[in-house]
Amino acid sequence: MTTRHSGIGMTSQRTRMRMVERLRGEGIRDEVVLAVMGEVPRHLFVDEALASRAYEDISLPLGFGQTISSPYIVARMTELARAGSTLNKVLEIGTGCGYQTAVLSRLAKEVYSIERLAPLLAKARRNLRDVRVTNARLRHGDGILGMQEVAPFDVIVMAAAATHVPETLLGQLNMGGRMVLPLSSNNEQRLCIIERTPQGYVEKKMDPVKFVPLLPGTA
Ligand code: SAH
């Protein structure tokens, strides 16, 4: 463990448990997801200067104009993605600091995560190593392309807002699999779930949200 594991004050287990209670109050129902949120040390994924605010229900800056999603959003997306089932392969688009990757890694056998910004990916790699996540594979690339060679996935989680559902990604879903993503239209974003059923893709619009935009290419 590194010196960043202070385990005191605002970054303690007790603070994390208070966060879990708040998430429960806000409507997160999946106890498995809540347990994982209580385990993953979120403060280790943000800059040290922000660590004391890591468990508040806010998104925080990651640098490079990107943000780590709030605990509620991570829990909500994970709950929708899991849908009460055990997951085999999960694809995440927008690794950011790797926090949601760490959460997903405790709920799935394998997690694959794509990030377009190289310096952020390097940060995520360090963070995930520090918290000893060993079942996540990170890739520098454009998430819109997915990972055809690893597909199909039980779940695809996208942490950046798209204006339309990327077709390539839908094709990489398992039958019965789900994609959870923020979709924007008319200056409004909503969380969406798209399920692949034998009858076709079924889309459901959920909560209003605020994500950074999905951008093409790498940097
Ligand atoms: N789940 C992340 C949230 C990061 S914010 C966390 O917990 O930290 C969204 C991320 O998506 C940003 O890091 C951004 O660089 C990335 N992103 C945006 N467009 C992308 C694309 N086309 N492919 C891969 N990553 C992308």
Side-chain angles (χ1 to χ4, degrees):
M1 295 280 162
T2 68
T3 50
R4 295 193 295 146
H5 285 74
S6 57
I8 48 158
M10 294 309 287
T11 57
S12 69
Q13 183 64 32
R14 223 174 58 221
T15 312
R16 218 155 31 242
M17 284 305 131
R18 274 201 299 272
M19 175 188 78
V20 167
E21 278 319 307
R22 203 179 56 231
L23 292 173
R24 197 177 269 121
E26 286 168 341
I28 304 298
R29 294 272 172 269
D30 188 332
E31 288 297 329
V32 178
V33 172
L34 288 169
V36 168
M37 297 292 295
E39 284 166 12
V40 179
R42 181 171 162 93
H43 63 284
L44 299 183
F45 289 83
V46 299
D47 287 343
E48 230 166 322
L50 297 171
S52 66
R53 310 203 64 188
Y55 296 100
E56 295 176 26
D57 210 6
I58 48 175
S59 56
L60 291 168
L62 288 179
F64 314 99
Q66 305 305 317
T67 54
I68 175 175
S69 306
S70 70
Y72 173 79
I73 282 295
V74 173
R76 181 71 177 137
M77 286 186 98
T78 307
E79 173 177 75
L80 292 172
R82 207 177 87 83
S85 62
T86 313
L87 304 172
N88 187 24
K89 271 189 271 180
V90 170
L91 175 65
E92 177 188 37
I93 294 157
T95 318
C97 63
Y99 174 67
Q100 184 152 22
T101 322
V103 170
L104 292 167
S105 78
R106 292 179 181 235
L107 297 165
K109 205 159 148 243
E110 298 163 21
V111 179
Y112 296 83
S113 187
I114 311 176
E115 170 59 54
R116 66 182 290 276
L117 296 176
L120 260 185
L121 193 72
K123 216 183 219 186
R125 276 194 207 287
R126 275 198 305 277
N127 291 340
L128 290 167
R129 200 172 45 229
D130 286 352
V131 302
R132 299 182 181 185
V133 167
T134 54
N135 61 336
R137 300 277 166 276
L138 309 192
R139 169 179 298 178
H140 181 222
D142 184 348
I144 293 184
L145 305 173
M147 282 196 201
Q148 188 55 52
E149 72 284 13
V150 183
F153 299 97
D154 296 332
V155 157
I156 300 178
V157 174
M158 198 158 103
T163 49
H164 62 277
V165 186
E167 290 284 328
T168 318
L169 293 176
L170 289 184
Q172 294 182 16
L173 273 181
N174 235 336
M175 191 52 72
R178 289 165 300 286
M179 177 162 182
V180 180
L181 79 166
L183 271 184
S184 48
S185 63
N186 309 323
N187 286 330
E188 188 203 59
Q189 289 182 14
R190 270 180 188 276
L191 212 51
C192 284
I193 315 180
I194 299 161
E195 194 169 351
R196 182 173 197 174
T197 74
Q199 289 77 40
Y201 294 97
V202 180
E203 183 178 325
K204 245 193 282 176
K205 281 219 160 57
M206 317 285 293
D207 336 9
V209 286
K210 204 164 186 295
F211 278 81
V212 295
L214 186 77
L215 297 173
T218 56

